[in-house]
Amino acid sequence: MRFWGRLLAAAFGMAALVGAAQFGVVYGLDVLRLDREFVAGTDNDWNLQLTWVVWFTIVAVAGGATFAAGLALRDRRRIGAAVRVVTALAATLGAAAVAFPLTLQSAQYARLSATLDPELTAAIAVAAGVVAGLFVALLAVGRSPLAADLWVCTGLVWLLAIVSYLDTTGFGRNRDAMGEYYDPMRLGVLDISGLQPIPRASFSMPVIALLVALACALVARHAGRSRLLIALSGAVGPLPVAMAYVIGGPGLSRALTDQADAYLGAMIAVVVGLIASSIVALAPRRPGVL
């Protein structure tokens, strides 16, 4: 019982910590602002910010489950189905305990031009993100090729966000006359002024998915991992971003395509990653050659 209690506490606590850290960073830097007016012309900013919220939730669940599963692996030398399920469920609760209050506290002050209840919409998005995180955790935890692709992609998505933030603040770009809000940065997009909006949205995630899928699949192949896991690994990395866009939505405004372009890029990334890793997995093996 002590073993299972430690796993539950570790998964819950780490998921809550990862979630709180992510929300703390974006709220502290004013990157995520749900407590404002989303008027005509910036309608899609609401979907854009919900997409980030969902992704943070998914990453928190996966992070908590991965950490706890690592403890189980150290103690028992293997991760079975029971460990995978228990850690994923505990991490789901930990992420939910943080994501719901930190999102709804701000969302209650949102003012949308569309006839939507912002609190209800945000609550549904977080709930869907929790379920999506549970799915990702059950899929990736304890399966090293999948987990490696997941966390490398996650790290690179954060890197894109950091570079985009530095570019946005450096050039002082914003969307309101008072300079109160930064120009929103899209999830998984290198949103810098030197690139055109549509190409950077369409190619950022697919390029990351391709490079990470090839690298992780080759490493897993060299380590003699299962062909099936190697083939699936390329899709798992960009999957949280794609799921976040599906839940966040392509945008309230049909006239504006900023969110829809990034949405499409995220969907393409999953396919690109899957194809790349499948090619590596299915290539014939020869003695002494990867």
Side-chain angles (χ1 to χ4, degrees):
M1 289 301 295
R2 180 180 298 179
F3 170 78
W4 293 107
R6 191 155 63 93
L7 283 191
L8 288 170
F12 183 95
M14 182 55 69
L17 179 62
V18 172
Q22 293 179 110
F23 279 103
V25 168
V26 295
Y27 281 146
L29 296 176
D30 278 340
V31 174
L32 191 68
R33 290 291 303 272
L34 298 175
D35 57 340
R36 66 181 180 89
E37 185 175 5
F38 296 87
V39 297
T42 62
D43 310 67
N44 291 348
D45 290 359
W46 174 251
N47 300 90
L48 186 153
Q49 299 208 24
L50 284 185
T51 301
W52 278 104
V53 167
V54 173
W55 187 70
F56 292 150
T57 306
I58 295 173
V59 171
V61 176
T66 299
F67 176 74
L71 296 179
L73 182 63
R74 186 185 64 183
D75 290 347
R76 295 194 172 184
R77 305 296 181 185
R78 62 184 297 272
I79 298 175
V83 169
R84 188 175 291 113
V85 171
V86 168
T87 55
L89 289 175
T92 297
L93 295 176
V98 168
F100 275 106
L102 290 181
T103 301
L104 299 184
Q105 174 64 26
S106 297
Q108 65 179 318
Y109 300 109
R111 298 176 301 281
L112 307 181
S113 59
T115 56
L116 296 174
D117 183 336
E119 278 192 274
L120 178 60
T121 306
I124 292 173
V126 173
V130 167
V131 174
L134 175 61
F135 173 77
V136 171
L138 290 172
L139 183 64
V141 169
R143 300 182 174 104
S144 56
L146 277 60
D149 200 290
L150 171 65
W151 292 114
V152 173
C153 272
T154 299
L156 290 176
V157 170
W158 265 109
L159 180 61
L160 291 183
I162 292 170
V163 174
S164 299
Y165 174 77
L166 293 176
D167 180 80
T168 298
T169 55
F171 284 91
R173 292 184 287 126
N174 52 70
R175 287 195 173 184
D176 70 315
M178 302 299 293
E180 187 176 356
Y181 309 122
Y182 288 123
D183 193 10
M185 297 171 294
R186 292 168 291 180
L187 175 65
V189 177
L190 185 60
D191 266 331
I192 60 176
S193 55
L195 298 175
Q196 293 298 315
I198 294 179
R200 69 195 187 207
S202 302
F203 295 107
S204 294
M205 274 308 299
V207 169
I208 286 178
L210 174 63
L211 296 178
V212 174
L214 289 175
C216 291
L218 286 171
V219 171
R221 181 185 172 97
H222 182 71
R225 303 298 182 185
S226 160
R227 285 182 184 268
L228 177 60
L229 293 182
I230 295 173
L232 292 176
S233 64
V236 173
L239 183 61
V241 175
M243 296 174 83
Y245 272 106
V246 169
I247 296 168
L252 295 173
S253 173
R254 297 294 180 87
L256 302 172
T257 63
D258 49 351
Q259 175 76 352
D261 294 333
Y263 182 106
L264 179 60
M267 303 304 120
I268 294 173
V270 176
V271 178
V272 169
L274 180 62
I275 292 174
S277 58
S278 296
I279 291 173
V280 174
L282 298 177
R285 299 178 187 266
R286 289 185 293 171
V289 180
L290 285 179

